[in-house]
Amino acid sequence: MLTRRSVLAAAASFPMVAQRSRKAASPPNIVLILADDLGAWMLGCYGNKEIRTPNIDLLARAGTRFVNHFVCTPICSASRATLFTGRVPRQHGIHCFLTDQPVENPPQGQKAPPPSFAQEVMLSELLARQGYQCAYLGKWHMGDDQKPGRGFHFTYTLMPGPRRYQDPLLSLNGQPVQEAGYLTELLTKKACEFIEGQKPGQPFFLVIAHLNPHTPYDGHPDKYYNLNETTTSETIGWEPPAPNALREKEYLKDIVGNIRRCAAAVTALDDQIPPVLEALNRTGLRDNTLIIFTADNGYLLGRHGLWSKGLASDPINMYEEVMAVPMIWNWPGKVPAMGSRPELVSFYDFLPTICEVVGIEPPGNRNLCGRSYWLLASGRSGRIKDPWPNLVFGHFRNTEMARDTRYKLILRDEGQGPGELYDLRNDPRERVNHYDNPEYVTVREALTRRIEQWRRQYV
């Protein structure tokens, strides 16, 4: 289990461990912990002062945290598709979350991926070809939830239907199983069993895709509600319900109470980190295992008077809270302890980065728009030949975004809502829209051209 002492020890011993690690040429194991609906701003290591996340915070201190990491699409299915393919919605074809019960407005969601999605090349398939044992546990939500395939040799996934945390219906390698207990702990237990069952020298890719802190907010163990029952939410920055609130706006009827319930789900997620680390330590695999912690999209929790994510409002929003998600890398001897990276990176950069880590080429003929940030994560940014492009893009249905180190531009299809332009340096909470401000016309036009270029190039 991580402690402050072990964090400091890891930092102090980094050069020595790095030298020893270079002698080992065995491919690294990769554990990807993927949360659901968790904005970076909701974690202590990203500045939150009320939601308890001590284990995630220590994981970040013992590794490197990307300060400015963004999803391409602030909704689950489309975002996950980008994470695992490196491609953006207009390429992989999933534009929203997959459901047969779409929200009333904006337009209806997709019921299933387009047939062309079966031709997409996923990271798991690339790794499986290199001899990795690949396992996926938890929420899939990219079609074929019961049996994802895609190079995953072992799956333990949520079955389609209503989500619940107690006594969930899961699919074990394609066969439905009615489980007893708390979903989050069941996934962690299965992850530890998978780790302990691995053969020495056999690399693995393990995805633990937790539902936490996704709604509903009931079904978590009482101890987590008790821990957060006195949270005042004074520093959360919530606001009264906005007139354009849409998805999950019913939670705005009791903002503080529901923030506490969501905080319980986050703290329960946080408690899943130590058992995984302990399993890696018991098996002697920790030193050659890269652990990555991230989330499929962010969340508002009452900020801007909205509750949910991109569909929390009409029109669609791309506020920082829904676009910025955690990205924490932890790998003893290979990723610096107590590190932080300021560069702007995106979900579409993830696949090229992992390909570089394991020493394989990204899939050809995929027209990927991302690039590897491995030199950043490993603390060797001085070796990057070209300047890092501190510009990220977003695309969600009728809405597109370009964001650089200071400004964010949001464009919508005609008739789908106003354009937005924010000066994030002077207005980090995005309260003043400068889209029609003549003093910002040069910025607006420059970012508009970048969006148009991005749109043309990556189809």
Side-chain angles (χ1 to χ4, degrees):
M1 182 174 180
L2 285 174
T3 64
R4 285 180 172 81
R5 179 176 297 177
S6 66
V7 170
L8 295 174
S13 63
F14 174 75
M16 178 181 66
V17 176
Q19 184 176 5
R20 183 174 69 245
S21 298
R22 280 195 293 269
K23 298 178 181 179
S26 57
N29 308 308
I30 303 169
V31 176
L32 172 62
I33 303 173
L34 180 62
D36 196 342
D37 290 354
L38 182 72
W41 74 276
M42 296 163 63
L43 300 176
C45 56
Y46 283 88
N48 193 288
K49 300 182 183 302
E50 296 196 61
I51 300 177
R52 292 171 173 82
T53 56
N55 296 302
I56 297 172
D57 299 343
L58 282 171
L59 190 73
R61 290 181 205 169
T64 291
R65 174 178 60 95
F66 284 85
V67 180
N68 297 298
H69 176 258
F70 302 88
V71 296
C72 183
T73 311
I75 202 75
C76 51
S77 300
S79 185
R80 289 163 185 255
T82 294
L83 179 69
F84 288 107
T85 68
R87 308 229 302 162
V88 300
R90 65 172 57 90
Q91 295 176 312
H92 59 60
I94 300 180
H95 290 269
C96 198
F97 66 111
L98 302 179
T99 177
D100 57 0
Q101 297 178 335
V103 293
E104 62 275 17
N105 186 33
Q108 293 186 351
Q110 294 170 282
K111 294 184 179 181
S116 61
F117 188 68
Q119 305 305 316
E120 294 293 326
V121 180
M122 284 198 167
L123 177 61
S124 47
E125 294 171 299
L126 298 173
L127 294 176
R129 294 170 193 167
Q130 296 298 312
Y132 274 74
Q133 287 293 308
C134 300
Y136 196 101
L137 317 178
K139 179 179 175 180
W140 174 256
H141 218 204
M142 289 177 281
D144 302 316
D145 296 68
Q146 184 170 340
K147 194 172 183 179
R150 300 293 194 165
F152 286 106
H153 308 91
F154 180 87
T155 57
Y156 186 60
T157 52
L158 275 67
M159 291 284 285
R163 308 302 187 193
R164 64 187 188 195
Y165 285 96
Q166 289 295 330
D167 302 335
L169 179 62
L170 296 168
S171 171
L172 178 60
N173 294 324
Q175 298 301 314
V177 288
Q178 179 63 64
E179 297 285 30
Y182 179 43
L183 169 64
T184 313
E185 293 174 350
L186 290 169
L187 296 179
T188 298
K189 179 181 178 182
K190 196 65 71 175
C192 294
E193 291 174 356
F194 175 82
I195 291 169
E196 292 167 349
Q198 295 310 294
K199 299 177 182 178
Q202 171 74 64
F204 64 84
F205 175 47
L206 169 62
V207 182
I208 314 171
H210 286 288
L211 184 61
N212 303 54
H214 195 287
T215 57
Y217 296 136
D218 54 357
H220 303 286
D222 288 342
K223 62 181 178 180
Y224 298 114
Y225 297 113
N226 296 337
L227 278 171
N228 292 279
E229 64 183 357
T230 60
T231 299
T232 62
S233 302
E234 292 176 356
T235 66
I236 295 294
W238 62 269
E239 301 170 38
N244 67 332
L246 182 62
R247 184 167 172 79
E248 294 172 331
K249 62 184 178 182
E250 63 272 16
Y251 289 95
L252 297 169
K253 296 176 181 177
D254 180 14
I255 295 178
V256 173
N258 284 315
I259 289 174
R260 290 172 179 169
R261 284 152 55 81
C262 180
V266 176
T267 305
L269 169 67
D270 182 78
D271 263 1
Q272 309 312 306
I273 303 296
V276 174
L277 295 178
E278 290 163 7
L280 290 168
N281 285 326
R282 281 194 304 271
T283 54
L285 297 171
R286 181 66 186 94
D287 285 348
N288 197 39
T289 300
L290 165 62
I291 298 176
I292 301 167
F293 181 90
T294 189
D296 62 357
N297 52 252
Y299 219 68
L300 287 152
L301 289 187
R303 288 192 172 193
H304 300 281
L306 307 170
W307 188 260
S308 186
K309 40 206 166 189
L311 288 177
S313 58
D314 181 15
I316 287 167
N317 77 86
M318 287 191 169
Y319 289 124
E320 292 288 278
E321 290 88 350
V322 306
M323 298 300 294
V325 296
M327 180 55 79
I328 297 167
W329 282 52
N330 186 294
W331 187 5
K334 294 295 183 69
V335 172
M338 291 188 278
S340 65
R341 300 301 317 189
E343 294 85 0
L344 276 64
V345 296
S346 172
F347 250 30
Y348 48 67
D349 296 316
F350 183 73
L351 182 143
T353 304
I354 296 299
C355 285
E356 183 174 3
V357 169
V358 302
I360 61 176
E361 291 294 325
N365 301 319
R366 295 283 87 192
N367 193 23
L368 302 180
C369 67
R371 62 182 292 187
S372 170
Y373 52 76
W374 171 230
L375 289 177
L376 303 178
S378 59
R380 298 175 292 158
S381 57
R383 298 186 184 182
I384 295 178
K385 296 179 181 180
D386 301 320
W388 185 261
N390 272 317
L391 180 69
V392 293
F393 296 94
H395 178 205
F396 186 10
R397 288 189 167 278
N398 53 37
T399 304
E400 293 176 291
M401 178 200 80
R403 185 204 190 280
D404 62 19
T405 56
R406 177 169 179 176
Y407 300 105
K408 176 193 286 187
L409 175 68
I410 298 170
L411 300 180
R412 297 184 172 90
D413 291 350
E414 185 175 355
Q416 299 300 320
E420 298 174 51
L421 177 63
Y422 299 105
D423 182 346
L424 299 172
R425 182 180 301 171
N426 297 311
D427 178 29
R429 292 294 299 274
E430 300 167 281
R431 300 183 189 279
V432 181
N433 182 4
H434 291 290
Y435 187 83
D436 293 320
N437 186 338
E439 295 182 9
Y440 288 79
V441 66
T442 302
V443 174
R444 186 188 72 198
E445 291 178 349
L447 288 177
T448 297
R449 288 193 296 270
R450 297 305 299 269
I451 289 178
E452 291 172 346
Q453 178 185 4
W454 184 71
R455 184 190 304 149
R456 290 192 303 269
Q457 187 171 356
Y458 299 106
V459 293

